[in-house]
Amino acid sequence: MEFSEKLRELRTQKGITQDVAAEAIGVSIRSYKSYELGERVPRDHNTYLSMANFYGVDLNYLLADSKTLSLKVNRDRMLGRPKDSSLLLAEARTFFADKNITYSQKKQAFFDLMDIFYGSTKKTRKMNGKRAKQQKMEMDAEIDSE
């Protein structure tokens, strides 16, 4: 179930309007409506925490998507703001703990994250590019052998 669907379901179960939910969570009505429509997601971790507290659910429930690792973190906001990485890490923990995702899928996601990390700067890319390629080739061979 997508984040927007969970949010809508929680609100309707509580029997409240979008306006009431937005005010209780501390976001604009327009923002809340766009969350339920799936047009956007909250930009900061505190909004997710407010939602989880208001609806009485675990934060991981809101963030978990059993189909994909949904890393909906705005890359520009991540740069220079390590505190925002907590949302990304919470989603990654949920993904890797999901028993419906195969070991091969988890390994592939891990190496995709490594590729992002190693490719994040030109300096890092130059220093670690060969190592990342070698590790990816080893992982691909291991995945293929399973």
Side-chain angles (χ1 to χ4, degrees), residues 1-13 32 45 48-49 51-68 70 87 90-95 97-98:
M1 183 183 294
E2 295 288 325
F3 171 76
S4 59
E5 295 168 320
K6 291 177 187 178
L7 201 56
R8 187 177 317 109
E9 182 178 281
L10 289 167
R11 181 183 56 78
T12 55
Q13 285 176 356
Y32 189 88
H45 188 67
Y48 285 101
L49 288 174
M51 289 175 175
N53 289 334
F54 178 70
Y55 288 120
V57 297
D58 187 78
L59 179 61
N60 288 331
Y61 170 75
L62 287 177
L63 300 176
D65 177 348
S66 61
K67 293 180 184 175
T68 61
S70 178
L87 177 59
E91 289 192 43
R93 278 188 202 94
T94 301
F95 174 81
D98 190 332

Side-chain angles (χ1 to χ4, degrees), residues 100-119:
N100 294 320
I101 298 173
T102 67
Y103 180 72
S104 295
Q105 290 171 318
K106 290 177 184 181
K107 285 168 75 173
Q108 185 61 52
F110 173 74
F111 279 96
D112 289 344
L113 290 171
M114 279 183 44
D115 286 345
I116 292 168
F117 171 75
Y118 287 131

Side-chain angles (χ1 to χ4, degrees), residues 124-137:
T124 303
R125 196 176 312 124
K126 286 179 184 176
M127 290 172 33
N128 297 309
K130 290 181 182 179
R131 184 174 74 158
K133 284 181 184 178
Q134 179 62 34
Q135 288 174 336
K136 184 159 177 46
M137 287 177 19

